[in-house]
Every structure is written in structure tokens, then in C-alpha cells.
Amino acid sequence: MPSTDVDKLAALIKQKRDILFASWRQQVRALPSAQGLDAPTLNDHVPELIDELAIALRSGSDQTIPEAISDGSPPAHGLQRLQDGFGGLGCGDAVPT
């Protein structure tokens, strides 16, 4: 993807951050394992992850996005979810499709 397209995608993600987050929250709330979660637990690190995604896209680095954000929200999110009891083979259940 040419850098101008990547920059446009990063800008769109930043611009639509709240809509993306609301849509994600609505889809996750429909999962049986998430129905009893309070808002802070449900939200977790997702807003930061959206911001980090836009930053990683804008960086122009040769790294993959997972490499670029490996010290950010994904490890913190995984640890928090493990502490909340979403560990093991069922942890993928918390990811909307």
C-alpha cells in the first residue's frame, strides 16, 4: 500500500476512533463471556490499541504492526484478560468477528 494510502488509513482510524470503539464494544458485549463485565473491564486497553495502530501505520517503519506495538497495549491487554479469567484456549472468544 503506498504511503499516502497508509497515511489516509491512519488518519481515518484516528478520525473514526470513537465509532470503531463503540462498534467493537457492541460486538463484544454480545459474547456470553463479556455480558457480565463492567465498562472499564470491557473497554480494557482497546482505545489505546486503536491509537497505537494509527501511530504504527504512520511511522513508515518496515516493522509489522505487531512488532511496532509489541511494547504497547497488546501485551498489557493479554495480561489483563488472563487476570480476568479469559486465559486458556477460550481466550479467542473475546475477539469479535
Side-chain angles (χ1 to χ4, degrees):
M1 186 180 299
S3 64
T4 56
D5 289 341
V6 172
D7 292 337
K8 287 178 185 177
L9 177 58
L12 183 64
I13 289 169
K14 193 74 170 167
Q15 177 186 8
K16 302 292 185 180
R17 177 186 185 266
D18 292 340
I19 294 169
L20 290 168
F21 182 50
S23 176
W24 175 86
R25 189 175 25 217
Q26 180 181 14
Q27 291 179 47
V28 170
R29 182 62 74 191
L31 297 171
S33 58
Q35 290 177 357
L37 297 177
D38 61 14
T41 303
L42 180 68
N43 295 347
D44 194 42
H45 297 92
V46 174
E48 293 86 2
L49 179 61
I50 293 170
D51 293 340
E52 290 169 1
L53 175 60
I55 291 167
L57 288 168
R58 282 192 179 129
S59 74
S61 171
D62 289 336
Q63 291 180 308
T64 65
I65 289 174
E67 291 169 341
I69 62 176
S70 64
D71 292 328
S73 292
H77 172 78
L79 179 59
Q80 181 64 49
R81 286 303 187 232
L82 182 62
Q83 292 169 344
D84 290 339
F86 286 96
L89 296 175
C91 64
D93 294 344
V95 180
T97 57

